[in-house]
Amino acid sequence: MEAGFARDGAPRDACLPLRWGRETELTISAIQALDPVLKDGQPRTYRSGFIPQPVVRFTGQRDGEGQLMDGFLTSFVNVSRVQPIGDLDEYGAILDGWLTVLSQLGFHARHLSIYGALTPWRRRQVEGITLRFRHLDLTLGDIVLLWNTDHPDRMAVDLGTGLERLAWARTRASWHPLIFGRFAQIATPPTLDAIRTATLLLGHGIAPAARGAGGITRRVIGAIDPEAARLGVSAMVRAAYDYWSLFGALRAPWPEIARVIEGEGEAARSALAA
């Protein structure tokens, strides 16, 4: 994928920091790299090009019991191409290049479709048009044309999907074994999802706290089943750590992450017992 984007003029750029602190506590999309252009009307960006951005979101679709549905995770890799553009022809060329990348990944063009409305939406200082793309019956992501309301000549494109969702669509494997591997039969999906997310947060130095980004870490760790974690979480942490390390160096070593998760769990159990 990285080679395909590079051939299309979008070399890989560094990921954004996970702790964001501007409108959101955490980075929730690579599109935030374009905040200077889209929100401030400035002719610069934080990042531009192909960005495999780890993100944390709590907006995944859930079933009637409140469990995440297949295809959704609290933490995942937001595979994006984000960059300023000069005109609509460039937007169309980026979409065409993405179809080429998908073809190289094994997605046949006849099974791909694009849908959406051309009516612009507006969110504060940004306007845009969103088109979604899907493979067979599975929506993969979207491509968004955006511009600053006060400076409509300052346009940008945000092409985004999830790396895990792409793998799911490509393989049509069962969702939980695909994501959690050998751990899928050991603990419940909410616990595995929480350990995976806590590893990402702690790996980026976001320690548990009463509020702010650290409050998110504490909330995530609190979703881990105490009984499932009673014998320790190090094996799952190591697996998640290896995965997140593919997208950038983590600040904390995995043993420290496991220690913090287990310590928070023990503190919570002690509080309940008291």
Side-chain angles (χ1 to χ4, degrees):
M1 188 180 298
E2 180 176 346
F5 276 116
R7 283 192 294 268
D8 199 47
R12 180 172 177 173
D13 205 346
C15 293
L16 295 167
L18 189 61
R19 187 193 296 267
W20 191 243
R22 172 180 173 166
E23 298 183 359
T24 61
E25 292 286 354
L26 302 175
T27 297
I28 59 174
S29 171
I31 187 60
Q32 290 167 285
L34 301 182
D35 276 359
V37 171
L38 297 175
K39 296 182 178 179
D40 305 330
Q42 300 177 4
R44 65 184 183 90
T45 66
Y46 295 127
R47 306 283 193 276
S48 182
F50 166 56
I51 306 176
Q53 177 71 49
V55 299
V56 174
R57 296 182 192 170
F58 295 95
T59 56
Q61 294 182 18
R62 296 179 180 271
D63 60 22
E65 298 179 351
Q67 304 302 316
L68 285 168
M69 298 178 66
D70 287 357
F72 296 93
L73 295 162
T74 304
S75 54
F76 61 94
V77 179
N78 176 214
V79 176
S80 296
R81 177 176 180 175
V82 295
Q83 66 185 76
I85 59 173
D87 52 45
L88 292 178
D89 288 343
E90 193 172 353
Y91 172 81
I94 289 172
L95 176 57
D96 183 66
W98 172 234
L99 296 177
T100 299
V101 172
L102 286 175
S103 176
Q104 293 168 345
L105 293 175
F107 295 96
H108 198 286
R110 67 177 180 177
H111 295 149
L112 297 170
S113 58
I114 300 170
Y115 64 99
L118 297 180
T119 304
W121 47 260
R122 179 174 180 177
R123 296 171 191 159
R124 295 186 292 278
Q125 64 271 60
V126 180
E127 296 182 57
I129 294 172
T130 301
L131 298 178
R132 292 179 172 81
F133 47 88
R134 64 187 168 208
H135 177 252
L136 297 172
D137 59 341
L138 180 61
T139 297
L140 298 178
D142 53 41
I143 180 169
V144 189
L145 174 67
L146 309 107
W147 59 91
N148 179 275
T149 298
D150 294 332
H151 301 277
D153 58 312
R154 292 178 183 171
M155 297 186 293
V157 65
D158 172 27
L159 168 68
T161 183
L163 183 62
E164 296 85 352
R165 180 172 282 264
L166 275 179
W168 190 40
R170 187 170 179 269
T171 63
R172 293 289 166 160
S174 297
W175 176 248
H176 292 127
L178 174 69
I179 301 302
F180 302 119
R182 62 189 177 90
F183 301 99
Q185 303 301 319
I186 297 176
T188 63
T191 286
L192 296 172
D193 177 76
I195 295 174
R196 169 188 167 98
T197 303
T199 301
L200 176 63
L201 291 165
L202 292 167
H204 281 265
I206 305 176
R211 58 181 61 87
I216 296 172
T217 303
R218 179 157 289 166
R219 169 186 171 186
V220 167
I221 295 175
I224 299 172
D225 179 4
E227 292 303 317
R230 190 172 292 276
L231 293 178
V233 299
S234 60
M236 179 61 192
V237 166
R238 288 200 305 273
Y241 191 93
D242 288 345
Y243 180 73
W244 296 125
S245 295
L246 295 173
F247 310 101
L250 300 181
R251 294 169 57 183
W254 73 259
E256 174 63 13
I257 293 173
R259 185 194 68 78
V260 172
I261 293 175
E262 291 167 5
E264 282 283 307
E266 185 60 35
R269 286 192 294 271
S270 298
L272 288 175

